[in-house]
C-alpha cells in the first residue's frame, strides 16, 4: 500500500534505520494514515513494536492493518506487538477495574495529578527490553497521538520529559526508533500543544507534516505532505532537506505526486 512513501523516504523493511525520532504532524487534516503506514512497515520489517494507542481501539487499528496485509492479533500472539489501548486503560482507571497482581495501569496518572508519566514510561521500557528468546530486529515505540495526553491534563513539560526518557531508553540504549503523531494548528490558541509540537520539531530526525489544502476540499487531492529530513548535527554545514508532495488516499493505497500534477489537473 505505502510502497510509494517508502520510496520517498528511502526506507527498506530489510534494513530499517535505527536510533531515529520521527515526528508525524498534521494540520487541518487527518494524518493517521501515516501511523498505519509505520505500524505495518515495522511489523513487516520484523521489529518489536510497542504501540501506545491513545486515540482509537485495537479493533480499529486491526481492521486497517488487515487491509495492509498485517494481522495485529497475530503479532500480539507471537510477542512482536505490545499494544496499549488507551481508551480501555482510562476506563479501567476511572471505574476501578483491578489489575493483575504485580501490574500497574500505565495510565494510572489520570486518577492523580495528571503529571507523572513514570508508569507509562516503565511500560514502554519493559515492553521493548529484549529477552533471551527474542529474535526481533530493532525495537520501535509508536504513539498515536501525543496530543491526547495534554487533553488528559498532562503538563507539556511532563510530555516532553516522557519523550526524552523514551529517547534515551529506546533510541540510545536499545538502538531503536520512536514515531509519534501530534496535531497542530497554525492559528490555534492552544499554547501548550504548540509548545510540545515546536519542541519535538527541534528534536526529530525526520518530520512528516500532513496539511490540508489551502483551497479547501478536493476529491482528487486530499492534502499535501512536507517531508523534512534533518541534516546531521555533526556536519553543521549540512542543511535540512525539504520536499513537498500532494497525495490522495484510497481504500488500500495512497498516491503521491508533485504539486499541480494530480490526474485531475493533467
Amino acid at each position: 500500500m505505502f510502497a510509494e512513501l517508502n520510496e520517498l523516504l528511502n526506507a527498506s523493511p530489510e534494513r530499517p534505520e535505527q536510533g531515529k525520532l520521527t515526528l508525524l504532524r498534521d494540520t487541518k487534516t487527518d494524518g493517521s494514515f501515516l501511523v498505519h503506514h509505520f505500524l505495518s512497515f515495522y511489523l513487516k520489517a520484523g521489529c518489536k513494536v510497542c504501540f501506545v494507542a491513545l486515540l482509537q481501539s485495537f479493533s480499529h487499528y486491526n481492521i486497517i492493518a488487515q487491509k495492509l496485509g498485517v494481522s495485529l492479533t497475530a503479532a500480539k500472539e507471537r510477542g512482536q506487538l505490545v499494544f496499549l489501548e488507551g481508551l480501555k486503560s482510562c476506563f479501567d482507571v476511572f471505574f476501578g477495574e483491578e489489575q493483575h497482581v504485580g501490574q500497574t495501569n500505565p495510565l494510572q496518572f489520570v486518577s492523580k495529578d495528571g503529571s507523572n508519566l513514570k508508569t507509562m514510561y516503565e511500560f514502554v521500557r519493559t515492553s521493548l527490553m529484549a529477552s533471551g528468546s527474542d529474535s526481533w530486529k530493532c525495537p520501535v515505540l509508536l504513539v498515536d497521538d501525543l496530543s491526547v495526553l495534554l487533553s488528559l491534563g498532562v503538563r507539556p513539560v511532563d510530555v516532553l520529559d516522557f519523550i526524552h526518557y523514551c529517547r534515551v531508553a529506546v533510541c540510545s540504549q536499545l538502538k531503536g526508533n520512536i514515531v509519534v503523531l501530534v496535531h497542530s494548528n497554525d492559528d490555534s490558541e492552544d499554547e501548550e500543544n504548540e509548545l510540545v509540537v515546536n519542541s519535538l520539531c527541534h528534536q526529530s530526525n525526520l518530520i512528516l507534516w500532513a496539511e490540508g489544502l489551502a483551497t479547501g476540499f478536493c476529491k482528487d487531492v486530499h492534502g499535501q505532505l512536507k517531508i523534512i529530513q534533518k541534516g546531521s548535527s555533526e556536519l553543521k554545514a549540512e542543511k535540512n532537506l525539504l520536499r513537498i508532495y500532494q497525495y490522495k488516499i484510497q481504500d488500500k493505497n495512497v498516491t503521491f505526486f508533485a504539486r499541480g500534477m494530480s490526474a485531475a489537473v493533467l
Side-chain angles (χ1 to χ4, degrees):
M1 170 180 177
F2 287 100
E4 284 189 44
L5 184 54
N6 286 336
E7 291 179 4
L8 296 179
L9 300 177
N10 194 27
S12 170
E14 286 75 27
R15 298 183 62 182
E17 289 190 307
Q18 294 177 280
K20 303 295 184 181
L21 170 61
T22 298
L23 174 64
L24 311 179
R25 179 179 181 181
D26 61 20
T27 302
K28 297 181 180 179
T29 191
D30 183 7
S32 61
F33 71 95
L34 295 170
V35 174
H36 300 301
H37 160 70
F38 280 98
L39 177 59
S40 62
F41 172 82
Y42 281 118
L43 289 177
K44 289 179 179 180
C47 298
K48 178 70 175 286
V49 178
C50 176
F51 188 10
V52 179
L54 302 172
L55 193 62
Q56 301 286 355
S57 66
F58 176 81
S59 59
H60 169 84
Y61 295 104
N62 193 37
I63 290 172
I64 297 177
Q66 287 176 337
K67 294 181 179 180
L68 308 183
V70 176
S71 171
L72 300 190
T73 301
K76 283 180 63 177
E77 291 175 349
R78 62 177 177 261
Q80 184 184 10
L81 173 66
V82 179
F83 190 93
L84 173 58
E85 190 166 0
L87 296 175
K88 182 178 184 302
S89 294
C90 283
F91 181 90
D92 292 343
V93 171
F94 288 132
F95 294 96
E97 292 291 330
E98 294 184 0
Q99 298 291 304
H100 296 293
V101 177
Q103 290 186 347
T104 302
N105 192 315
L107 268 67
Q108 192 65 45
F109 62 87
V110 299
S111 67
K112 298 180 181 180
D113 62 359
S115 63
N116 190 344
L117 299 180
K118 184 178 179 180
T119 53
M120 195 159 74
Y121 163 73
E122 288 296 334
F123 173 83
V124 170
R125 187 182 64 83
T126 56
S127 297
L128 294 178
M129 288 289 289
S131 65
S133 59
D134 280 350
S135 58
W136 310 115
K137 296 181 183 177
C138 65
V140 176
L141 167 63
L142 179 60
V143 183
D144 182 22
D145 70 79
L146 213 58
S147 302
V148 173
L149 294 177
L150 296 173
S151 301
L152 292 173
V154 181
R155 298 176 303 180
V157 64
D158 294 303
V159 173
L160 294 174
D161 281 348
F162 169 73
I163 294 298
H164 169 74
Y165 282 107
C166 286
R167 286 185 68 193
V168 172
V170 180
C171 297
S172 298
Q173 297 177 354
L174 301 177
K175 306 302 180 184
N177 298 312
I178 298 177
V179 181
V180 298
L181 171 70
V182 64
H183 300 297
S184 69
N185 198 333
D186 293 336
D187 56 2
S188 172
E189 296 181 358
D190 190 344
E191 296 180 357
E192 292 188 341
N193 189 80
E194 294 311 300
L195 173 62
V196 170
V197 172
N198 292 331
S199 297
L200 290 176
C201 283
H202 288 294
Q203 299 177 41
S204 302
N205 303 102
L206 173 67
I207 302 172
L208 302 184
W209 188 354
E211 298 177 293
L213 297 176
T215 54
F217 174 77
C218 175
K219 67 176 183 178
D220 295 300
V221 183
H222 293 155
Q224 76 171 16
L225 181 69
K226 290 182 180 177
I227 302 176
I228 306 172
Q229 290 178 305
K230 297 290 190 69
S232 173
S233 58
E234 299 176 357
L235 301 175
K236 295 183 179 180
E238 187 175 337
K239 296 182 178 180
N240 296 341
L241 175 62
L242 170 63
R243 292 173 291 162
I244 301 178
Y245 300 92
Q246 292 182 333
Y247 63 86
K248 180 179 180 180
I249 301 175
Q250 299 165 321
D251 185 41
K252 294 184 179 181
N253 191 30
V254 179
T255 302
F256 296 89
F257 38 83
R259 287 181 291 183
M261 300 295 288
S262 71
V265 175
L266 300 176

